[in-house]
Amino acid sequence: MRAECHGQHISGAERLLPGNELESAAIEMLQRALRHPRGAAQKISFHVEAVSARCVKSGKLLDLSNNSVDSWPQGRRLANRLLRKVGIPKAVAEHSIEILATGAAPSGQSMRGAMLIDADSGERLESDPARGVRASRMDLTAGCRQRLCRLLEQLNLNNSHVVEALTLATKVCSAPGIVAELCWSDDPDYLAGYVASRTLGYQRISHMKPAGEERGGRAFFVRCSKEELPNLVAWLEQAPLLIDQIGLVAGPLHRGKEV
Ligand code: WAQ
Ligand code: MG
């Protein structure tokens, strides 16, 4: 689903579902597009495509750690430190945070998808800097969703932002050539974000921007040759992944601690 208002992206969502759940999922997505905190949609598009069950891979969710910070500057410093832990140079980490903070699209607004950033040089690799790359065709099985929601409940984190972001990050981090992901929401009232990688898991950070800020986005840090890039993009956008196992969900690592 994709919702726009006068050409500006408001929200998007992707699912991978058994055919008999399509109708209810479409209604849910329509309701969400109509009542989005970024504004009322003027145009809502649905794209529905059959995927052969044979092509669907299964997988396990990343482990989630919840880092509570006192302020968004502290959150961004923690994100920077986590990115460096997975080998992203300091200058590349800092620059990527700065780009998301100032609006990654050429218009100075949020992009519709993610930036692809060379993990060593910091060069932007996506072919369309307004659209970026949208990860798609990933979801949780009904059982996995139920187990995850029960676990998140205990941390007071059971909301659709967390469930969807954890699902997306799991697919992105399992892609060949992806080193890490950085994200924070573009919704003015949702201030959290995360850094994720295969080794770090999903490191949730409670504050990544000031209240009311609509600039947010995603950076996928890439280490692959230019020739391999189209395959990576095709994998992110098209390879179906249905997650059927949950990972660990852990409490705060950095509650109120200066980092
Ligand atoms: N693929 C690539 N980029 C995407 C996708 C996608 N499928 N969906 C959204 N984006 C980009 C796009 O630039 C959006 O502007 C930006 O990410 C933010 O999207 O643990 O809510 O849906 O509490 O606003 C993370 C923290 C919340 C969750 C992320 O993202 C938590 C969030 P949003
Ligand atoms: Mg949003």
Side-chain angles (χ1 to χ4, degrees):
M1 180 278 291
R2 175 164 173 221
E4 295 170 61
C5 182
H6 305 302
Q8 197 205 326
H9 176 76
I10 291 193
S11 79
E14 24 278 305
R15 304 288 314 265
L16 179 67
L17 295 158
N20 62 4
E21 289 173 30
L22 260 180
E23 286 180 32
S24 57
I27 290 170
E28 221 171 85
M29 284 171 158
L30 181 64
Q31 288 169 340
R32 167 170 158 159
L34 291 172
R35 296 185 203 118
H36 201 276
R38 275 163 62 78
Q42 299 285 318
K43 182 175 164 189
I44 303 169
S45 317
F46 283 86
H47 175 97
V48 183
E49 209 174 329
V51 170
S52 159
R54 273 183 295 118
C55 306
V56 179
K57 295 244 157 53
S58 58
K60 182 175 177 217
L61 271 178
L62 291 174
D63 295 345
L64 178 148
S65 307
N66 187 29
N67 303 281
S68 300
V69 292
D70 291 333
S71 66
W72 62 264
Q74 199 185 340
R76 288 183 190 174
R77 282 199 292 280
L78 174 57
N80 192 315
R81 220 178 59 169
L82 290 166
L83 288 171
R84 273 153 47 213
K85 251 191 182 173
V86 292
I88 313 275
K90 184 165 181 262
V92 174
E94 273 171 4
H95 187 55
S96 311
I97 292 172
E98 189 56 27
I99 301 176
L100 286 189
T102 51
S107 62
Q109 294 168 319
S110 298
M111 296 166 70
R112 303 200 290 284
M115 302 188 273
L116 292 179
I117 294 193
D118 184 302
D120 300 308
S121 71
E123 186 190 350
R124 278 178 73 169
L125 303 171
E126 72 277 10
S127 54
D128 177 344
R131 178 183 184 272
V133 174
R134 271 197 81 96
S136 193
R137 302 192 181 179
M138 64 276 168
D139 217 319
L140 307 173
T141 59
C144 186
R145 182 177 296 273
Q146 220 175 45
R147 288 195 295 278
L148 175 65
C149 289
R150 268 204 301 265
L151 274 180
L152 291 175
E153 201 74 63
Q154 295 165 16
L155 295 177
N156 247 333
L157 285 180
N158 188 14
N159 69 62
S160 60
H161 289 274
V162 180
V163 174
E164 283 171 23
L166 185 56
T167 305
L168 184 149
T170 298
K171 177 171 177 191
V172 169
C173 290
S174 71
I178 293 282
V179 180
E181 183 193 351
L182 164 71
C183 163
W184 70 83
S185 177
D186 57 9
D187 297 12
D189 57 354
Y190 201 82
L191 313 182
Y194 62 88
V195 169
S197 84
R198 277 185 290 275
T199 52
L200 295 172
Y202 180 94
Q203 295 286 337
R204 178 176 193 268
I205 303 174
S206 60
H207 291 78
M208 285 298 286
K209 65 175 190 183
E213 175 61 79
E214 294 209 4
R215 286 169 299 189
R218 285 186 154 88
F220 299 164
F221 294 91
V222 168
R223 197 168 278 141
C224 76
S225 69
K226 286 246 157 78
E227 294 71 43
E228 288 164 331
L229 203 58
N231 276 340
L232 172 60
V233 172
W235 197 94
L236 289 166
E237 294 188 333
Q238 287 164 33
L241 177 68
L242 190 58
I243 298 163
D244 58 357
Q245 291 173 66
I246 56 168
L248 300 173
V249 171
L253 293 183
H254 294 274
R255 187 187 289 280
K257 210 162 59 178
E258 183 58 26
V259 289

